[in-house]
Amino acid sequence: MINVEVAFALPEEQKIVALKVEDDCTVYDAVIRSRIVEYFPQIDPDSFPMGVFGKAVRDPKTELLKEGQRVEIYRPLIIDPKTARANRAAKMKAAQKDKD
């Protein structure tokens, strides 16, 4: 048995569930066993992206966990990060232009 954690966060709330799992436990299996979906019903383990310590996992159903790892469930993006950066830059440019 190994010790792992499963984490999910919203802007106003987060939850980390610690659990013991078998040595051959996958990322997906840990999410299911953590029962984190009971706290956050909006999580769909079959479609939400997942990762381990900030590194995305391509196939959570086959990626095996190691002792002490933390599984992270990622929320769907509301806006593409490149678009968000471009929007912020445009606002700053407009604000600077208004000051001049």
Side-chain angles (χ1 to χ4, degrees):
M1 301 291 279
I2 59 173
N3 296 297
V4 298
E5 295 177 333
V6 175
F8 181 72
L10 295 171
E12 68 282 348
E13 181 182 10
Q14 72 175 5
K15 179 89 174 153
I16 299 174
V17 179
L19 62 153
K20 278 190 179 292
V21 296
E22 297 80 11
D23 292 344
D24 63 347
C25 185
T26 66
V27 169
Y28 178 85
D29 291 336
V31 169
I32 299 301
R33 290 180 189 161
S34 73
R35 301 171 69 165
I36 201 161
V37 175
E38 292 177 11
Y39 298 99
F40 301 102
Q42 66 269 41
I43 296 174
D44 178 4
D46 291 310
S47 67
F48 274 42
M50 298 176 197
V52 176
F53 288 131
K55 293 188 97 179
V57 171
R58 286 182 190 231
D59 188 359
K61 291 184 178 181
T62 61
E63 182 80 21
L64 296 178
L65 290 171
K66 296 176 186 158
E67 173 69 31
Q69 287 186 318
R70 182 182 65 231
V71 174
E72 298 161 345
I73 305 165
Y74 304 125
R75 292 177 281 132
L77 294 176
I78 295 171
I79 186 170
D80 177 58
K82 287 173 100 174
T83 303
R85 280 191 297 277
N87 291 347
R88 284 193 305 273
K91 275 186 187 178
M92 290 188 66
K93 188 174 183 179
Q96 186 63 34
K97 191 174 184 180
D98 289 343
K99 284 183 180 181
D100 294 338

